[in-house]
């Protein structure tokens, strides 16, 4: 930007609405660049997550895959419980502090790391000692590997806890490409490679789970190296927290502890319930369906991790209009990218599950139900991030508890008689309950509109376009792989045709300018005012 086009230094100073508009525009430019990086990483993670699911289902069958997914569920839920909400606490606290040897951000590390690691070690010990009793119930289908598999799973919990917390710190102190490299490249690429190698070598479930866990240890080491420098660890930064550091951090994090466990374990609770109430085969089918459902959510996850520190900074300063503008933009992006995936999953569930093997096609009704429920999840946007980064972890806990209550209550009723389909119905009801509750809370907390006409137009256009393509595919070749291929071809042709429209090309140019821009965002990315530091 040249001096002739740069606005005067005092522009908007006498017009609060103009200043808010300028701030919102600068923040949406900043979020656009972070969002694109997060989306690219999430796309890669989604691709290799699908590869991992194929490797597990093809390598171990329905019963073996059910035990494998249940083991992943155990470590996932245990890790979410043991982190005590500290990963979200780091995302909330670090952006409000100063980095470097003279900063106060490093003081948060002991506060965030010590309690979760102690809890993780305790859970690992108790879990390993209880493996004989728990394995027959939690890992049905694991045969003789059950005890060793569950022992390994619990022993890995402290490592995964430490990795999770340092990943959150990494997102706050390094450019997003560092986070993307570890979370969305190292972990998802290494896991199918190592699990696949174990399966090809004839290794059992224990060898496969080892292949799934080893990348977590590698990621932990990488994060240690990348986090230490910006925080000034080893270069004079103090690691001794004050009493107020402990109280401020854990007042926020503890309400998040329960909701974090619920969020991370939402699918895996269903897998474990299905394994106990309906058997390992149904658990394997539900786990395979869940992999598709979670893969479709990766776009929202990529956007969330990209902008959470930005939302914390804005809401910490009281810039609610700018935070709402960022939320609305990324909600549109998430909707346009996620809804086609879920609509296709709902219509062509048979085609997608055939890729895992014929025995997994029993999950077609479950896939359709969950895909439709996820339209609500992605449609409201990252309202959970608005609540958490605004410091309202208590309200977030209320919404997640509401969803969990619905999921477990319906699951206990439906799973014994309907297996994977019953688990899907229960989880779908929980998803809708949690997200609508969180959306209502977020709107009242932020005090700004979270949905605009542009979002509604994007939703209508997406449903219309994908609906037409899916209808043509079903009429031409059915709901299997040929029909899916036809629908994808029609969608591709439609996207190419849309590129000829002047309005579409203009929108793409605006987005590209946001991604390439730097001057305005540099101002928006400046350090937080002293009044917000150390809070």
């Amino acid at each position: 930007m040249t001096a002739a086009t740069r606005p005067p230094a005092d522009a908007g100073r006498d017009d609060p609405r103009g200043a808010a508009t300028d701030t919102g525009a600068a923040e949406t430019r900043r979020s656009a660049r972070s969002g694109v990086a997060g989306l690219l990483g999430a796309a890669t993670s989604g691709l290799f997550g699908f590869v991992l699911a194929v490797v597990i289902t093809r390598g171990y069958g329905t019963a073996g895959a059910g035990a494998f997914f249940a083991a992943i569920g155990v470590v996932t839920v245990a890790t979410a419980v043991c982190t005590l909400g500290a990963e979200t606490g780091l995302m909330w606290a670090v952006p409000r502090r100063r980095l470097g040897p003279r900063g106060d951000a490093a003081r948060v590390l002991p506060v965030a790391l010590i309690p979760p690691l102690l809890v993780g070690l305790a859970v690992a010990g108790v879990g390993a000692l209880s493996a004989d009793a728990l394995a027959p119930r939690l890992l049905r289908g694991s045969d003789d590997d059950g005890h060793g598999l569950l022992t390994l799973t619990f022993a890995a919990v402290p490592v995964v806890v430490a990795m999770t917390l340092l990943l959150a710190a990494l997102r706050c102190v390094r450019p997003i490409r560092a986070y993307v490299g570890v979370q969305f490249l190292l972990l998802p690429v290494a896991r199918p490679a190592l699990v696949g190698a174990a399966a090809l070598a004839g290794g059992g479930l224990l060898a496969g789970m080892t292949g799934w866990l080893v990348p977590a240890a590698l990621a932990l080491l990488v994060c240690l190296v990348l986090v230490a420098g910006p925080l000034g660890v080893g270069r004079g930064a103090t690691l001794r927290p004050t009493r107020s550091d402990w109280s401020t951090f854990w007042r926020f994090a503890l309400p998040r502890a329960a909701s974090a466990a619920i969020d991370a374990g939402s699918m895996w609770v269903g897998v474990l319930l299905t394994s106990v109430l309906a058997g390992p085969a149904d658990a394997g089918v539900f786990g395979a369906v869940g992999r598709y459902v979670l893969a479709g959510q990766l776009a929202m996850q990529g956007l969330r991790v990209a902008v959470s520190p930005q939302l914390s900074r804005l809401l910490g300063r009281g810039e609610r209009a700018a935070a709402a503008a960022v939320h609305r933009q990324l909600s549109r992006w998430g909707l346009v990218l996620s809804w086609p995936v879920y609509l296709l999953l709902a219509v062509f569930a048979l085609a997608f599950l055939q890729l895992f093997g014929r025995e997994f096609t029993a999950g077609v009704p479950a896939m359709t139900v969950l895909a439709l429920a996820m339209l609500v999840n992605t449609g409201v946007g990252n309202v959970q991030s608005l609540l958490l980064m605004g410091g309202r972890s208590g309200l977030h806990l209320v919404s997640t508890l509401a969803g969990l209550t619905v999921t477990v209550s319906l699951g206990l009723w439906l799973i014994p008689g309907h297996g994977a389909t019953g688990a899907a119905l229960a989880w779908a009801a929980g998803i809708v309950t949690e997200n609508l509750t969180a959306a209502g809370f977020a709107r009242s907390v932020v005090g700004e509109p979270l949905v605009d006409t542009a979002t509604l137009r994007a939703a209508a256009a997406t449903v219309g376009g994908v609906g037409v393509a899916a209808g043509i595919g079903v009429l031409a070749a059915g709901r299997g792989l040929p029909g899916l291929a036809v629908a994808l071809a029609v969608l591709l042709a439609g996207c190419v045709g849309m590129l000829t429209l002047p309005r579409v090309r203009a929108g793409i140019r605006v987005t590209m300018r946001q991604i390439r821009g730097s001057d305005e965002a540099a101002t928006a990315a400046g350090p937080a005012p002293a009044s917000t530091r150390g809070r």
Side-chain angles (χ1 to χ4, degrees):
M1 181 181 290
T2 65
T5 60
R6 186 180 288 115
D10 59 350
R13 192 171 289 172
D14 296 325
D15 185 356
R17 288 181 300 177
T21 300
D22 292 343
T23 301
E27 293 295 344
T28 54
R29 284 191 291 271
R30 175 176 168 82
S31 67
R33 289 190 297 280
S34 297
V36 167
L39 286 173
L40 292 175
T44 304
S45 179
L47 172 62
F48 283 95
F50 171 75
V51 172
L52 175 63
V54 172
V55 168
I56 293 173
T57 53
R58 291 285 186 179
Y60 297 100
T62 52
F68 203 121
F69 287 134
I72 295 175
V74 169
V75 72
T76 301
V77 174
T79 299
V81 171
C82 294
T83 54
L84 305 178
E87 77 283 12
T88 306
L90 284 166
M91 296 279 282
W92 171 74
V94 173
R96 303 176 183 219
R97 290 173 174 257
R98 300 183 302 275
L99 302 179
R102 297 185 178 182
D104 58 352
R107 297 206 313 254
V108 179
L109 278 184
V111 176
L113 287 172
I114 291 174
L117 287 176
L118 291 176
V119 174
L121 289 170
V123 168
V126 172
L129 292 174
S130 307
D132 276 331
L134 293 175
R137 293 182 174 274
L138 294 179
L139 303 183
R140 294 167 63 186
S142 59
D143 299 326
D144 295 335
D145 287 338
H147 173 267
L149 181 60
L150 199 57
T151 300
L152 173 66
T153 298
F154 277 114
V157 168
V159 176
V160 182
V161 167
M163 179 204 70
T164 301
L165 296 177
L166 289 176
L167 271 171
L170 176 63
R171 176 61 195 97
C172 298
V173 302
R174 291 277 187 179
I176 189 174
R177 60 180 176 269
Y179 179 91
V180 168
V182 179
Q183 176 70 29
F184 291 147
L185 292 178
L186 172 60
L187 288 171
V189 172
R191 277 174 170 162
L194 294 178
V195 173
L200 289 174
L205 289 171
L206 185 60
M209 192 63 185
T210 301
W212 190 86
L213 290 169
V214 164
L218 297 176
L220 171 60
L221 295 176
V222 172
C223 288
L224 278 171
V225 173
L226 293 177
V227 167
L231 289 178
V233 177
R235 297 186 295 119
T238 178
L239 290 172
R240 181 176 296 177
T242 65
R243 182 177 297 180
S244 64
D245 290 329
W246 287 92
S247 60
T248 300
F249 185 89
W250 287 107
R251 271 200 307 269
F252 171 85
L254 282 178
R256 172 59 177 155
S259 60
I262 296 168
D263 286 343
S266 55
M267 168 192 163
W268 303 112
V269 166
V271 172
L272 296 174
L273 280 176
T274 306
S275 180
V276 172
L277 298 176
D282 274 292
V285 169
F286 183 72
V289 168
R291 299 306 297 181
Y292 276 118
V293 171
L294 294 181
Q297 199 178 12
L298 281 171
M300 297 299 292
Q301 179 185 351
L303 293 171
R304 179 173 64 252
V305 299
V307 302
S308 287
Q310 182 183 6
L311 289 175
S312 174
R313 176 171 49 80
L314 290 173
L315 293 171
R317 295 177 179 178
E319 297 175 10
R320 296 183 177 184
V326 169
H327 171 82
R328 288 192 295 269
Q329 172 175 274
L330 296 187
S331 293
R332 287 193 296 273
W333 285 23
L335 185 152
V336 170
L337 292 170
S338 299
W339 276 26
V341 174
Y342 287 120
L343 291 169
L344 291 175
L345 286 175
V347 176
F348 297 103
L350 176 63
F352 286 103
L353 289 172
Q354 283 174 338
L355 297 174
F356 289 154
R358 184 169 297 178
E359 63 269 34
F360 288 91
T361 57
V364 167
M367 176 89 87
T368 301
V369 167
L370 285 172
L372 294 176
M374 292 304 289
L375 296 178
V376 177
N377 178 286
T378 51
V380 299
N382 281 318
V383 289
Q384 290 88 351
S385 292
L386 282 177
L387 288 175
L388 291 171
M389 295 302 102
R392 305 304 296 270
S393 54
L395 291 179
H396 184 266
L397 175 59
V398 171
S399 64
T400 53
L401 281 175
L404 178 66
T405 300
V406 171
T407 298
V408 173
S409 300
L410 290 179
L412 292 173
W413 176 38
L414 295 173
I415 290 174
H418 302 281
T421 302
L425 288 167
W427 189 19
I431 288 170
V432 172
T433 300
E434 176 183 343
N435 281 276
L436 293 182
T437 304
F441 285 153
R443 175 64 178 87
S444 64
V445 167
V446 176
E448 297 283 342
L450 302 181
V451 178
D452 56 11
T453 55
T455 302
L456 297 177
R457 286 197 300 267
T462 301
V463 171
V466 177
V468 169
I472 293 173
V474 171
L475 292 174
R479 294 177 182 249
L481 288 171
L484 175 61
V486 171
L488 291 174
V490 173
L491 272 178
L492 178 61
C495 291
V496 172
M498 288 182 64
L499 293 176
T500 64
L501 300 176
R503 185 172 182 178
V504 173
R505 293 202 303 271
I508 293 174
R509 285 195 296 270
V510 169
T511 301
M512 293 306 297
R513 283 197 297 270
Q514 289 179 333
I515 296 170
R516 290 194 299 263
S518 59
D519 289 348
E520 297 88 347
T523 301
S531 61
T532 67
R533 292 173 180 162
R535 285 173 25 174

